[in-house]
Amino acid sequence: ALDALCIQAEVAVGEGYNILILSDRRIDADFVAIPALLATSAVHHHLIRKGLRTESGLVVETGSALEVHHFATLAGYGAEAVNPYVAFDTIQSMLGVLPEKLSFEEAQKRYIKAVGKGLKKVMSKMGISTYQSYCGAQIFDALGLSTTFVDQYFTGTATTVEGAGLKQISQEAVRWHSDAFGQNTIY
């Protein structure tokens, strides 16, 4: 699935698309999502290797981006924009129980502002002053991922503690999916 996604992205850029949207919105009982960070980094690095990365922007539409760390890693591995649709859906569903009466637009605006402030704090600790400088900079170390996996999908990221590879990550994605959709899956 990762290989197919990367080839789709390459073909789309070759056809002139300058914004690529990576989305997990359509997952259901029959379709398992590739983890958003893995999909983002895989496409980002594939396009770099093909000399096409500067030809397009990556927008990530994911239900898994909920807190500042998620946004920071997605941006650090190439996402120019993130649509956290589950966070927005959660905000919508909580409007009636919030201590202050807010419209959805105002609550969403506050969430976006909070995430933005969090990202500024993360970037400033690294000495980075603009989102453009942070995007794709991958100023991280990987812990608990195999060197082979990191070299392929998170190229250039330092890793000193070995661990999971693609097989284990895919098994975890399937396990999460079957828990979320109430299915019994054999691995």
Side-chain angles (χ1 to χ4, degrees):
L2 276 170
D3 291 342
L5 178 64
C6 290
I7 289 168
Q8 274 186 304
E10 180 183 344
V11 168
V13 172
E15 292 175 351
Y17 290 92
N18 61 357
I19 297 175
L20 304 179
I21 300 172
L22 304 177
S23 179
D24 61 20
R25 191 182 284 265
R26 288 187 174 168
I27 66 167
D28 61 22
D30 297 321
F31 294 98
V32 178
I34 298 170
L37 182 60
L38 176 56
T40 302
S41 186
V43 168
H44 172 73
H45 285 291
H46 178 77
L47 294 176
I48 287 171
R49 285 190 280 275
K50 296 295 181 178
L52 299 171
R53 184 60 183 96
T54 60
E55 304 291 320
S56 67
L58 288 179
V59 174
V60 179
E61 180 182 53
T62 181
S64 66
L66 302 172
E67 56 190 53
V68 172
H69 175 74
H70 301 146
F71 291 90
T73 53
L74 286 167
Y77 284 99
E80 279 93 3
V82 179
N83 173 10
Y85 66 89
V86 168
F88 293 150
D89 290 349
T90 302
I91 290 167
Q92 177 88 44
S93 70
M94 293 180 62
L95 288 175
V97 297
L98 294 176
E100 183 181 348
K101 181 116 173 107
L102 299 172
S103 68
F104 171 68
E105 292 76 17
E106 179 60 26
Q108 183 182 41
K109 180 180 169 184
R110 290 182 183 187
Y111 175 79
I112 292 167
K113 183 176 181 178
V115 170
K117 283 185 170 191
L119 282 172
K120 285 179 187 175
K121 187 174 182 178
V122 168
M123 293 185 316
S124 68
K125 287 183 177 185
M126 296 178 172
I128 298 172
S129 60
T130 67
Y131 189 82
Q132 290 81 2
S133 296
Y134 186 81
C135 190
Q138 60 190 59
I139 307 172
F140 306 101
D141 288 341
L143 298 173
L145 297 174
S146 76
T147 301
T148 304
F149 178 75
V150 170
D151 287 348
Q152 177 66 35
Y153 299 110
F154 297 91
T155 309
T157 299
T159 181
T160 56
V161 179
E162 287 292 315
L166 187 57
K167 180 179 178 183
Q168 292 83 9
I169 301 296
S170 63
Q171 287 173 338
E172 185 62 30
V174 169
R175 186 175 300 117
W176 176 89
H177 183 81
S178 51
D179 288 348
F181 288 97
Q183 299 174 340
N184 294 324
T185 304
I186 299 172
Y187 302 104

